[in-house]
Amino acid sequence: MGFLRFCWFISTIIVFFSNPTPIAAGDIVHDDKFAPKKPGCENDFVLVKVQTWVDGIEGAEFVGVGARFGTTIVSKEKNANRTNLTQSVPHDCCTPPKNKLTGDVIMVTRGHCKFTTKANIAQAAGASAVLIINNQRELYKMVCEPDETDLDIHIPTVMLPQDAGVELERLLSNRSSISVQLYSPRRPVVDIAEVFLWLMAVGTILCASYWSAWSANEAAIEHDKLLEDFSEELSNTKLVGTSGIVEVNTKSAVLFVIVASCFLVLLYKLMSAWFIELLVVIFCIGGVEGLQTCIVALLSRWFKHAAQPSIKVPFFGAVSYLTLAVLPFCIVFAVLWAVYRDYKFAWIGQDILGIALIVTVLQIVHVPNLKVGTVLLGCAFLYDIFWVFISKKLFHESVMIVVARGDKSGEDGIPMLLKIPRMFDPWGGFSIIGFGDILLPGLLIAFSLRYDWLAKKHIRAGYFLWAMIAYGLGLLITYVALNLMDGHGQPALLYIVPFTLGTFLSLGKKRGDLGILWSSGEPERECPHVRLGHSHAADE
């Protein structure tokens, strides 16, 4: 599978750096987030559900955002009143409406006067609430003007997106009787989806690390056995079984981040429906190769003969019967996911393909020593912070978050992430984590277990256990920060890298292993002139 593996590996290395951070559902446009609060204009921005009834029959539900001014909106549905909806005449409500309002909710269009002017006029006319229809598809935070000081608005004001306004206006034009109910349910502090996502990320690294360490250990045993019989012949040869391993060096670690930044900007500039389709194809290629590699590795324990390369296929090289048997299933699985990826349970297929891809990358790509791991994670740490936070100053929005959500594509976002639907969140959506937030720390953690096994260290005396605990704590802190920041995207590596890398460095220094870990990355062996698994230069 050499040709396919090459295509898949190159695409994976590029794509996993376009690394979306965990994002909760319900983010809104932040154009006015720096507007100061003042008396009468100090509400927190909250998402608002607008449930409709058409001629007494329950209809569509729309989502809006509450204004800085006006009364707060009730949080429980049972406490929300069901009120008649009326279209303002004139539609902009910049002058007193001609139609009579007796406690109705009035629907007005954005423009021609200030938001607070519309609310004051509607309140004076007897409206119980104001629905302002935006002139764009997204939501906009409504604030007060800097010179407004005397605000006395006692009715709630909510903005709805343009498409919601079009639908409501269509219903009203048909002379239907429309009533609405406004309420703003609160999000749970922690959703069970975040717990499962945490377990999924930690479990993926755990499985991948053990597979990587087991392969390295088997290669070491085979090497030692051959060395006893053919020491002279092997002194100038590479280790058997490691030709498929790709080792990262310091230059390639820095280059990865530079290429990733260029690719992320490319994603941001070219983000569209067709570009998402291209990413889906790339993801499917990587997912197919990862899935078949994992399945073949599992089945080869029972079908050893069928797992041996036995057939030569053009462009792919020697292929085993087992691979030929498994590959069609993997291709069909990926194609079915791609076709039905917008369906409710498609996230399961995406996670299966994603986990298989991550596990296979961690099996193939190795960090040879702590120096390379430090450079790689250090660069990724700066990369994550820059493209989540600092990029706002250059592009007026967070490039990483825009790409992760697919804001400019009309799609649900890029597929290079693991996600689980939020189970107890009234606003729905997904808890997600980017591949890079698992892959990059996973490279260092897998290295720690390979070192522990080769050094014959017990679990508590080694580095793997503490690196796994550090990663788990770092990811946990990420979700705590995510909830404290009201669901706004957070760069996970901002928290994971200091925990994971800091633990490794401090333990290595305390135990006196830092020199070996930093330079060679291997315990001393009987034949130091033969280095385990280094089919490429470890450093330059």
Side-chain angles (χ1 to χ4, degrees):
M1 301 295 288
F3 176 75
L4 182 58
R5 184 180 292 273
F6 173 77
C7 295
W8 158 76
F9 174 73
I10 294 299
S11 62
T12 301
I13 289 298
I14 294 175
V15 171
F16 83 74
F17 274 106
S18 57
N19 170 32
T21 50
I23 301 172
D27 285 351
I28 55 180
V29 175
H30 304 301
D31 294 341
D32 296 316
K33 71 176 183 178
F34 296 113
K37 293 183 179 182
K38 60 182 70 176
C41 190
E42 53 190 354
N43 295 339
D44 291 328
F45 293 115
V46 294
L47 290 173
V48 180
K49 289 193 175 187
V50 181
Q51 178 63 57
T52 64
W53 282 264
V54 182
D55 296 326
I57 300 174
E58 187 171 342
E61 182 182 82
F62 304 104
V63 176
V65 59
R68 270 271 204 246
F69 50 86
T71 57
T72 56
I73 299 168
V74 297
S75 61
K76 295 184 178 179
E77 183 179 4
K78 64 180 181 180
N79 295 333
N81 295 324
R82 202 162 127 187
T83 312
N84 187 55
L85 178 67
T86 301
Q87 174 77 62
S88 173
V89 181
H91 287 187
D92 59 13
C93 198
C94 290
T95 57
K98 298 177 181 178
N99 46 338
K100 293 184 179 181
L101 304 174
T102 53
D104 294 349
V105 174
I106 186 172
M107 186 174 74
V108 307
T109 58
R110 180 180 176 181
H112 303 111
C113 61
K114 296 184 293 186
F115 295 128
T116 51
T117 299
K118 296 176 187 291
N120 275 315
I121 291 175
Q123 179 176 274
S128 60
V130 183
L131 296 182
I132 299 179
I133 307 303
N134 197 11
N135 51 17
Q136 299 177 13
R137 291 184 61 185
E138 65 256 5
L139 296 172
Y140 190 90
K141 292 183 174 182
M142 297 181 290
V143 298
C144 308
E145 296 293 333
D147 57 347
E148 292 182 287
T149 55
D150 188 17
L151 294 168
D152 190 26
I153 301 173
H154 300 296
I155 60 174
T157 304
V158 177
M159 174 164 284
L160 288 176
Q162 186 179 44
D163 52 352
V166 170
E167 177 62 17
L168 290 173
E169 188 171 357
R170 183 187 67 81
L171 292 172
L172 289 171
S173 64
N174 292 336
R175 300 188 181 278
S176 300
S177 174
I178 309 295
S179 56
V180 295
Q181 188 181 43
L182 311 180
Y183 63 103
S184 179
R186 296 174 182 171
R187 275 203 169 94
V189 176
V190 178
D191 191 272
I192 193 68
E194 294 173 357
V195 177
F196 283 119
L197 197 64
W198 184 90
L199 291 172
M200 189 184 297
V202 172
T204 298
I205 292 180
L206 185 68
C207 294
S209 297
Y210 269 95
W211 186 11
S212 177
W214 179 82
S215 299
N217 192 54
E218 289 290 306
I221 294 173
E222 183 179 357
H223 173 262
D224 291 342
K225 183 178 179 181
L226 291 173
L227 191 62
E228 292 176 2
D229 300 330
F230 308 104
S231 58
E232 292 184 1
E233 296 180 17
L234 286 175
S235 61
N236 296 317
T237 63
K238 302 297 181 184
L239 182 61
V240 176
T242 60
S243 58
I245 300 299
V246 177
E247 287 190 346
V248 184
N249 56 44
T250 52
K251 287 184 178 179
S252 61
V254 176
L255 182 62
F256 281 165
V257 177
I258 295 173
V259 171
S261 296
C262 296
F263 190 73
L264 187 64
V265 174
L266 185 67
L267 280 173
Y268 176 74
K269 294 295 184 180
L270 298 181
M271 183 64 66
S272 59
W274 72 265
F275 203 76
I276 292 291
E277 296 291 338
L278 177 62
L279 293 180
V280 168
V281 173
I282 295 174
F283 173 70
C284 286
I285 293 173
V288 166
E289 176 65 9
L291 190 59
Q292 74 88 17
T293 300
C294 292
I295 294 176
V296 168
L298 291 173
L299 295 180
S300 61
R301 299 177 65 87
W302 293 281
F303 305 98
K304 294 182 179 180
H305 179 71
Q308 297 300 319
S310 51
I311 300 177
K312 288 188 176 181
V313 180
F315 300 107
F316 299 106
V319 179
S320 68
Y321 288 112
L322 191 56
T323 298
L324 290 178
V326 168
L327 188 58
F329 164 77
C330 299
I331 293 174
V332 170
F333 186 90
V335 170
L336 287 176
W337 170 80
V339 172
Y340 297 103
R341 69 182 186 276
D342 295 328
Y343 280 61
K344 185 176 181 181
F345 294 102
W347 62 272
I348 298 175
Q350 180 171 327
D351 287 351
I352 291 173
L353 291 171
I355 289 173
L357 191 151
I358 293 171
V359 170
T360 306
V361 170
L362 291 176
Q363 167 67 11
I364 294 174
V365 183
H366 285 184
V367 169
N369 53 49
L370 189 54
K371 177 183 178 181
V372 175
T374 301
V375 172
L376 181 62
L377 287 181
C379 290
F381 174 80
L382 298 175
Y383 165 89
D384 233 18
I385 294 174
F386 179 85
W387 289 111
V388 173
F389 293 136
I390 302 177
S391 63
K392 291 180 181 179
K393 300 183 182 298
L394 301 176
F395 298 90
H396 307 294
E397 56 188 348
S398 175
V399 172
M400 184 84 79
I401 293 177
V402 169
V403 170
R405 292 189 308 207
D407 286 355
K408 300 179 180 180
S409 67
E411 302 280 343
D412 288 336
I414 64 176
M416 288 75 180
L417 48 85
L418 303 182
K419 64 180 184 178
I420 296 180
R422 297 176 66 83
M423 301 176 188
F424 299 107
D425 192 331
W427 299 103
F430 290 88
S431 290
I432 68 176
I433 185 170
F435 285 179
D437 298 330
I438 303 174
L439 274 168
L440 293 170
L443 290 171
L444 186 66
I445 295 171
F447 161 72
S448 71
L449 186 58
R450 290 196 301 272
Y451 179 86
D452 287 352
W453 281 23
L454 293 176
K456 302 187 185 318
K457 288 182 176 288
H458 296 294
I459 186 70
R460 293 182 62 184
Y463 296 92
F464 174 72
L465 173 64
W466 308 111
M468 280 298 305
I469 292 174
Y471 175 79
L473 287 175
L475 188 57
L476 180 63
I477 295 299
T478 301
Y479 284 112
V480 171
L482 184 67
N483 286 293
L484 290 177
M485 297 297 177
D486 195 26
H488 301 324
Q490 293 294 299
L493 295 180
L494 171 64
Y495 309 97
I496 293 173
V497 169
F499 271 86
T500 307
L501 191 58
T503 298
F504 215 134
L505 290 170
S506 58
L507 269 181
K509 184 176 181 180
K510 181 179 179 180
R511 294 172 176 176
D513 297 332
L514 189 58
I516 296 175
L517 288 168
W518 186 264
S519 56
S520 68
E522 294 179 1
E524 294 183 0
R525 299 175 60 80
E526 293 181 1
C527 297
H529 60 280
V530 180
R531 299 193 63 206
L532 173 63
H534 285 216
S535 56
H536 300 273
D539 198 2
E540 295 183 10

